[in-house]
Amino acid sequence: MSSIQCKTTAMKNSIKELAESKIDDFASQLRGKLVMPSDERYDQERKVYNGMIDKRPGMFVKCVDVADVMAAVNFGRDNNLLVAIRGGGHNGGGLGLCDDGLVIDLAGLKFIRVDVANKTVRVGGGNIWGEVDHATHPFGLAVPAGIISTTGVGGLTLGGGVGHLSRKYGLTIDNLLEADMVLADGSFVTVSANENTDLFWAIRGGGGNFGIVTSFKFQAHDVKNVFGGPTLWPIEKTEEIMEWYHEFLNNAPDDLNGFIATMVIPGPPFPEHLHNKHFCGIIWCYTGDMAKVEEVFKSVVDKNPVFDHRGEMPYPAIQTLFDGLMPPGLQWYWKADFFTELGPEIRAQHLKFGSKIPTPLSQMHLYPISGAASRVGKEDTPWAYRDAKYAGVIVGVDPSPENAAKITYWCKDYWNALHPYSSGGAYSNFMMNEGQERVKASYKHNYDRLAKIKKEYDPSNFFSVNQNIQPSD
Ligand SMILES: Cc1cc2nc3c(=O)[nH]c(=O)nc-3n(C[C@H](O)[C@H](O)[C@H](O)COP(=O)(O)OP(=O)(O)OC[C@H]3O[C@@H](n4cnc5c(N)ncnc54)[C@H](O)[C@@H]3O)c2cc1C
């Protein structure tokens, strides 16, 4: 926990000390339920995706509509409580929970309406991406999102959103048209390019700092089937493959996306001869003309991957390809940075640490920030690193808490070796709870504008359990 958050926590009231009548009165205003530490469901409720997170909130408000969210914000503010917002519960640092405070849980705030004529999608603040893909796919439409279908729409979108469609259609925030929000004073606003434009700018990357988004409206695109999947090379070839990949992808059409990784093949469904071996891999996703697949991938095939599992598949299939390997409840430790190039020093570190991956599920990914994602101005949204070529992330992952230290040290050592060659900051959604300097580095030249908007809409820093932007002085 950062010192700033400790300070905030110390100044807050404890839910344990609230009069029972106050809690009863609050419960009577809700359609959703409260879950308290004495409830049987409490331990289930406080589980998030990262099994390393062990926080004990004082109360969950299971919101089912906007009125519940407004009541929860007013209750939290009037009683001076620490408040966390939980969407899909995927945040690495567990920022959807807080100790002793109030968790405003949006999992019951789900609705999706696809406007086929206008190719737009309206999505609830508590939906997860797999639900969105399921709703849009029958219409041959998709919204750019992340690569695991159980990730929350809320947290991923508000932080930026990188994934298989980034090069073709930009980040998720580049496809956000409108949002409904409940602000710290309990008021309800709609934000878009025409309404509350400062807030609309701030939420396209600034996270949950400015209010609770109860509904998102996205631009969808014509994506039905894609051609993709993994190609693998022995880890010893990492430097050669990375050098070629950088050149190849940055000269490829936007239709082609591929994130590069160092990884271990953990087991089925991969063939047995690959199990527990270290690889440099690329996970491709091509959305262009299927008649051109052979031509587009010729250079990939020429590099003779030892495993090639590309093929045509429905878009939701690539979006769920890794769900089975990464179930909820594993231990996760994250470290991240942006990179503009993959020079020889960087490639050498990837070979070194990729060869030392400590557990079968631990990995390093470099997600391309090129094509359409790079053509948005550096100040057009808070997402400052439009000129970086990659959003890099190192994840130490394992089912056993006994390996928590091992995966954490590997992650930190890998990151320490690469950080001097990075752009200096990281994608906020790929960070743990790393303190103010890292948040500032993440927003770079856009931080001051975010801090001014924060001061206007949340001067008391009511929404503080996030990659926190401090209200400007
Ligand atoms: C396995 C895995 C794969 C991932 N893959 C990708 C990927 O491919 N691309 C990518 O960009 N990111 C990816 N991420 C990172 C992901 O974007 C972040 O973890 C994000 O915070 C998850 O959002 P959530 O709603 O599930 O999280 P939560 O833990 O529920 O919330 C995190 C924070 O988001 C804010 N928040 C959530 N919902 C709302 C809302 N409706 N209104 C206001 N604030 C809200 C709150 O501040 C909250 O503290 C991945 C994460 C995991 C664990």
Side-chain angles (χ1 to χ4, degrees), residues 85 87-91 95 106 125 146-147 152 155-156 158 162 211 213 427 429:
I85 310 160
H90 258 231
N91 188 269
L95 292 173
L106 306 175
I147 64 146
L156 180 135
L158 297 171
V162 300
V213 176
Y427 169 32
N429 271 348

Side-chain angles (χ1 to χ4, degrees), residues 144-148 161-170 226 228-229 254-259 283-287 315 317-322 367-368:
I147 64 146
I148 298 271
V162 300
H164 293 302
L165 302 182
S166 300
R167 277 173 50 82
K168 178 71 176 171
Y169 296 116
V226 300
D254 291 356
D255 290 331
L256 185 65
N257 204 92
F259 72 85
I283 291 76
W284 302 101
C285 179
Y286 171 71
T287 47
Y315 178 70
I318 200 158
Q319 289 296 92
T320 50
L321 212 55
F322 304 107
Y367 293 91

